[in-house]
Amino acid sequence: MTSTETTMKETVQAAWNKRPLIISGPCSAETEEQVIETAQQLAKTGKVDMLRAGIWKPRTRPGSFEGIGTKGLPWMQQARKLTGLPITVEVATAKQVEDALHFDVDVLWIGARTTVNPFSVQEVADALKGTNVPVLIKNPINPDLELWTGAVERVAKAGIDQIGLIHRGFSAYGNSEYRNAPMWHLAIEMKRRHPNMPFINDPSHICGRRDILLDVMQKAIDLDYDGFIIESHIDPDKAWSDAKQQVTPERLTEMLNSIVWRNEDSSSEEFHAALEKLRQQINHLDDELMQILGQRMKVAEQIGLYKKNNQITILQTNRWNEILERAFKQGDKIGLSKEFITKYFDAVHMESINHQNKIMNA
């Protein structure tokens, strides 16, 4: 191994361990000039730790630009040489892994359309055997943590020690302000399952438009994410793919400077004492809530017994609507959102139905 290769490996390792980790570059490598100019501008910001660019682009429908292909990899190599920053690309097949490693790509990532298919993930994992390249894994398109976890396990079984996670949002039916719904609760659960893996946010694919990027970035940091992979282009409006979600290197700098960076912990004893006191209050309130919910289910069981004895169905739609309307009115007075009330009472209602069902069919 040459001294240059050793230095780059050290740079990659330092970036991998850095918090926040910032990965940026164009959605797609379009021309050598575009890749090099974007990379140099990003390097000048002093904010970026790794360069990214899409070489192979899986598109929803045929006819769209599907990436420049392997000929873009030497452009990435040149960008690394000129900036000193590691490079990372997405791979979806064994051949793409082979090509990326042939051109010494420092970090690979597996995209959402690949993570959703265990056969594809296994193909990539098999191609990675015998290498030590770090791998980032995006969440699958559909909201399925088992698929995401399965992808992690397949790559780990291939002998890859350094694995990171990318939250890029999930497909959801219906209109939304997001291109891909964040579904933060699923991301938080994945982070809980893998606390030692780098966990970074992809605001570009969550938002799909640049005007709400900063809000998502701030929320990610507030939730203790380890950094971002975010798309940047020297002329976003003329980008060959996903133009609306890309920002200039200058705008990226402005956004990163605007974020309020928070820490997971503090060395202040006063802070810990105050926090522990409040947490104990939360614990006591949670205990009371559990007791009340238990009592509620006992009442639901009594109702189920009356329904059984009188041949009445479990579901009473009018009564359920009445409960929700009453809850909405009360929730509005104490600052609880309609969305939360709906989700909470849906869960309580289903548990009540389960309890009544046991009584009805005992």
Side-chain angles (χ1 to χ4, degrees), residues 144-185:
D144 187 336
L145 289 190
E146 298 312 310
L147 277 175
W148 201 358
T149 299
V152 170
E153 292 172 348
R154 290 174 189 277
V155 172
K157 285 182 178 180
I160 302 301
D161 295 326
Q162 293 182 291
I163 300 174
L165 302 169
I166 301 175
H167 171 217
R168 53 82 75 190
F170 303 86
S171 291
Y173 182 75
N175 296 324
S176 168
E177 65 176 320
Y178 302 107
R179 177 180 176 183
N180 293 288
M183 299 189 188
W184 296 101
H185 63 291

Coordinates of all heavy atoms in Angstrom, one line a residue, residues 144-185:
D144 N -40.8 -0.7 6.0 CA -40.6 -2.0 6.6 C -39.3 -2.1 7.2 O -38.2 -2.2 6.5 CB -40.8 -3.1 5.4 CG -40.8 -4.5 5.9 OD1 -40.2 -4.7 7.0 OD2 -41.3 -5.4 5.2
L145 N -39.2 -2.1 8.6 CA -38.0 -2.1 9.3 C -37.3 -3.4 9.2 O -36.0 -3.5 9.3 CB -38.2 -1.7 10.7 CG -38.5 -0.3 11.1 CD1 -38.4 -0.1 12.6 CD2 -37.6 0.7 10.4
E146 N -38.0 -4.5 8.9 CA -37.4 -5.8 8.8 C -36.6 -5.9 7.5 O -35.5 -6.5 7.5 CB -38.5 -6.9 8.9 CG -39.3 -7.0 10.2 CD -38.4 -6.9 11.4 OE1 -37.4 -7.7 11.5 OE2 -38.6 -6.1 12.3
L147 N -37.1 -5.3 6.5 CA -36.3 -5.3 5.2 C -35.0 -4.5 5.4 O -33.9 -4.9 5.0 CB -37.1 -4.6 4.1 CG -38.1 -5.5 3.3 CD1 -38.9 -4.7 2.4 CD2 -37.4 -6.7 2.6
W148 N -35.1 -3.4 6.1 CA -33.9 -2.6 6.4 C -32.9 -3.3 7.3 O -31.7 -3.4 7.0 CB -34.4 -1.3 7.1 CG -33.4 -0.1 7.0 CD1 -32.2 -0.1 6.4 CD2 -33.6 1.2 7.5 NE1 -31.6 1.1 6.5 CE2 -32.5 2.0 7.2 CE3 -34.7 1.8 8.2 CZ2 -32.3 3.3 7.5 CZ3 -34.5 3.1 8.5 CH2 -33.4 3.9 8.2
T149 N -33.4 -3.9 8.3 CA -32.6 -4.7 9.2 C -32.0 -5.9 8.5 O -30.8 -6.3 8.6 CB -33.4 -5.3 10.4 OG1 -33.9 -4.1 11.1 CG2 -32.6 -6.1 11.3
G150 N -32.8 -6.6 7.6 CA -32.3 -7.7 6.8 C -31.1 -7.3 5.9 O -30.2 -8.0 5.8
A151 N -31.2 -6.1 5.3 CA -30.1 -5.6 4.5 C -28.8 -5.4 5.3 O -27.7 -5.8 4.8 CB -30.5 -4.3 3.8
V152 N -29.0 -4.9 6.5 CA -27.8 -4.7 7.4 C -27.2 -6.1 7.7 O -26.0 -6.2 7.6 CB -28.3 -4.0 8.7 CG1 -27.1 -4.0 9.7 CG2 -28.7 -2.5 8.4
E153 N -28.0 -7.0 8.0 CA -27.5 -8.4 8.4 C -26.8 -9.0 7.2 O -25.8 -9.7 7.4 CB -28.7 -9.2 8.9 CG -29.3 -8.7 10.2 CD -30.5 -9.5 10.6 OE1 -31.1 -10.2 9.8 OE2 -30.9 -9.4 11.8
R154 N -27.4 -8.9 6.0 CA -26.8 -9.5 4.8 C -25.4 -8.9 4.5 O -24.4 -9.6 4.2 CB -27.7 -9.4 3.6 CG -28.9 -10.2 3.7 CD -29.9 -9.9 2.5 NE -31.2 -10.6 2.7 CZ -31.4 -11.8 2.4 NH1 -30.5 -12.6 1.9 NH2 -32.6 -12.4 2.6
V155 N -25.3 -7.6 4.6 CA -24.0 -6.9 4.4 C -23.0 -7.3 5.5 O -21.8 -7.5 5.3 CB -24.2 -5.4 4.3 CG1 -22.8 -4.7 4.2 CG2 -25.0 -5.1 3.0
A156 N -23.5 -7.4 6.7 CA -22.6 -7.7 7.9 C -22.1 -9.1 7.7 O -20.9 -9.4 8.0 CB -23.4 -7.6 9.2
K157 N -22.9 -10.1 7.2 CA -22.5 -11.4 7.0 C -21.5 -11.6 5.9 O -20.8 -12.6 5.8 CB -23.7 -12.3 6.8 CG -24.6 -12.6 8.0 CD -25.7 -13.5 7.7 CE -26.5 -13.8 9.0 NZ -27.7 -14.7 8.7
A158 N -21.4 -10.6 5.0 CA -20.4 -10.6 4.0 C -19.0 -10.2 4.5 O -18.1 -10.1 3.7 CB -20.8 -9.6 2.8
G159 N -19.0 -9.8 5.8 CA -17.7 -9.4 6.4 C -17.4 -8.0 6.4 O -16.3 -7.6 6.8
I160 N -18.4 -7.1 6.1 CA -18.3 -5.7 6.2 C -18.4 -5.2 7.6 O -19.5 -5.4 8.2 CB -19.3 -5.0 5.3 CG1 -19.1 -5.5 3.8 CG2 -19.1 -3.5 5.4 CD1 -17.7 -5.2 3.2
D161 N -17.4 -4.6 8.2 CA -17.4 -4.2 9.6 C -18.0 -2.8 9.8 O -18.6 -2.5 10.8 CB -16.0 -4.2 10.1 CG -15.4 -5.6 10.2 OD1 -16.1 -6.5 10.4 OD2 -14.1 -5.7 10.0
Q162 N -17.8 -1.9 8.8 CA -18.3 -0.6 8.9 C -19.6 -0.4 8.1 O -19.5 -0.3 6.8 CB -17.2 0.4 8.5 CG -16.0 0.4 9.4 CD -15.0 1.4 9.0 OE1 -14.3 1.3 7.9 NE2 -14.8 2.5 9.8
I163 N -20.7 -0.3 8.8 CA -22.0 -0.2 8.1 C -22.7 1.0 8.7 O -22.7 1.2 10.0 CB -22.9 -1.4 8.3 CG1 -22.2 -2.6 7.7 CG2 -24.2 -1.2 7.7 CD1 -22.9 -4.0 8.0
G164 N -23.2 1.9 7.9 CA -24.0 3.0 8.4 C -25.4 3.0 7.8 O -25.7 2.3 6.8
L165 N -26.3 3.8 8.3 CA -27.7 3.9 7.9 C -28.0 5.2 7.4 O -27.6 6.3 7.9 CB -28.6 3.5 9.1 CG -28.4 2.1 9.7 CD1 -29.1 2.0 11.0 CD2 -28.8 1.0 8.7
I166 N -28.9 5.3 6.3 CA -29.3 6.5 5.7 C -30.9 6.5 5.8 O -31.5 5.6 5.2 CB -28.9 6.7 4.3 CG1 -27.4 6.7 4.2 CG2 -29.5 8.0 3.7 CD1 -26.8 6.8 2.8
H167 N -31.4 7.5 6.4 CA -32.9 7.7 6.5 C -33.3 8.6 5.3 O -33.0 9.8 5.4 CB -33.3 8.2 7.8 CG -34.7 8.6 7.9 ND1 -35.1 9.7 8.7 CD2 -35.9 8.1 7.4 CE1 -36.4 9.9 8.6 NE2 -36.9 8.9 7.8
R168 N -34.0 8.1 4.3 CA -34.4 8.9 3.2 C -35.9 9.1 3.0 O -36.4 9.5 2.0 CB -33.7 8.4 1.9 CG -33.9 6.9 1.6 CD -35.2 6.6 0.9 NE -35.3 7.0 -0.5 CZ -36.3 6.9 -1.2 NH1 -37.5 6.6 -0.7 NH2 -36.3 7.2 -2.5
G169 N -36.6 8.6 4.0 CA -38.1 8.7 3.9 C -38.7 7.5 3.2 O -38.0 6.7 2.5
F170 N -40.0 7.4 3.3 CA -40.7 6.2 2.8 C -41.9 6.6 1.9 O -42.5 7.7 2.1 CB -41.3 5.4 3.9 CG -40.3 4.9 5.0 CD1 -40.0 5.7 6.0 CD2 -39.7 3.7 4.9 CE1 -39.0 5.3 7.0 CE2 -38.8 3.2 5.8 CZ -38.4 4.1 6.9
S171 N -42.2 5.8 0.9 CA -43.3 6.1 0.0 C -44.6 6.0 0.8 O -44.7 5.0 1.6 CB -43.3 5.1 -1.2 OG -42.2 5.4 -2.0
A172 N -45.5 6.9 0.6 CA -46.8 6.8 1.2 C -47.9 7.3 0.2 O -47.6 8.2 -0.6 CB -46.8 7.7 2.5
Y173 N -49.0 6.6 0.3 CA -50.1 7.0 -0.7 C -50.7 8.3 -0.3 O -50.9 8.6 0.9 CB -51.1 5.9 -0.7 CG -52.3 6.1 -1.6 CD1 -52.1 6.0 -3.0 CD2 -53.5 6.6 -1.2 CE1 -53.1 6.2 -3.9 CE2 -54.5 6.8 -2.1 CZ -54.3 6.7 -3.4 OH -55.3 6.9 -4.3
G174 N -51.1 9.1 -1.3 CA -51.8 10.4 -1.0 C -50.9 11.6 -1.1 O -49.6 11.4 -1.2
N175 N -51.5 12.7 -1.0 CA -50.7 14.0 -1.1 C -50.0 14.3 0.2 O -50.5 14.0 1.3 CB -51.6 15.1 -1.4 CG -52.3 15.0 -2.8 OD1 -51.7 14.5 -3.7 ND2 -53.5 15.4 -2.9
S176 N -48.8 14.8 0.1 CA -48.0 15.2 1.2 C -47.0 16.3 0.8 O -46.7 16.5 -0.3 CB -47.2 14.0 1.7 OG -46.2 14.3 2.6
E177 N -46.6 17.1 1.8 CA -45.6 18.1 1.5 C -44.3 17.5 1.2 O -43.4 18.2 0.7 CB -45.5 19.1 2.7 CG -44.9 18.5 4.0 CD -44.8 19.5 5.0 OE1 -44.3 20.7 4.7 OE2 -45.1 19.2 6.2
Y178 N -44.1 16.2 1.5 CA -42.8 15.6 1.3 C -42.8 14.7 0.1 O -43.9 14.1 -0.3 CB -42.4 14.7 2.5 CG -42.3 15.5 3.8 CD1 -43.3 15.3 4.8 CD2 -41.3 16.3 4.0 CE1 -43.2 16.0 6.0 CE2 -41.2 17.0 5.2 CZ -42.2 16.9 6.2 OH -42.1 17.5 7.4
R179 N -41.7 14.6 -0.6 CA -41.6 13.6 -1.7 C -41.6 12.2 -1.1 O -42.3 11.3 -1.7 CB -40.2 13.8 -2.4 CG -40.0 12.7 -3.5 CD -38.6 13.0 -4.2 NE -38.3 12.0 -5.2 CZ -37.2 11.9 -5.9 NH1 -36.3 12.8 -5.7 NH2 -37.1 10.9 -6.7
N180 N -41.0 11.9 0.0 CA -41.0 10.7 0.8 C -41.3 11.0 2.2 O -40.5 11.7 2.9 CB -39.7 9.9 0.6 CG -39.5 9.4 -0.8 OD1 -40.2 8.5 -1.3 ND2 -38.6 10.1 -1.5
A181 N -42.4 10.4 2.8 CA -42.8 10.7 4.2 C -41.6 10.3 5.1 O -41.1 9.2 5.1 CB -44.0 9.9 4.5
P182 N -41.2 11.2 6.0 CA -40.1 10.9 6.9 C -40.4 9.7 7.9 O -39.6 8.9 8.1 CB -40.0 12.2 7.8 CG -40.6 13.2 7.0 CD -41.7 12.6 6.2
M183 N -41.7 9.6 8.3 CA -42.0 8.6 9.3 C -40.9 8.4 10.4 O -40.3 7.4 10.5 CB -42.3 7.2 8.6 CG -43.4 7.3 7.6 SD -43.9 5.6 6.9 CE -45.0 6.1 5.6
W184 N -40.7 9.5 11.1 CA -39.6 9.6 12.0 C -39.6 8.5 13.0 O -38.6 8.1 13.5 CB -39.7 11.0 12.7 CG -39.5 12.2 11.9 CD1 -40.5 13.0 11.4 CD2 -38.3 12.7 11.3 NE1 -40.0 14.0 10.6 CE2 -38.6 13.8 10.5 CE3 -37.0 12.3 11.5 CZ2 -37.7 14.6 9.9 CZ3 -36.0 13.1 10.8 CH2 -36.3 14.2 10.0
H185 N -40.8 8.0 13.4 CA -40.9 7.0 14.4 C -40.2 5.7 14.0 O -39.6 5.0 14.8 CB -42.3 6.7 14.8 CG -43.2 6.2 13.7 ND1 -43.6 7.0 12.6 CD2 -43.7 5.0 13.5 CE1 -44.3 6.3 11.8 NE2 -44.4 5.0 12.3

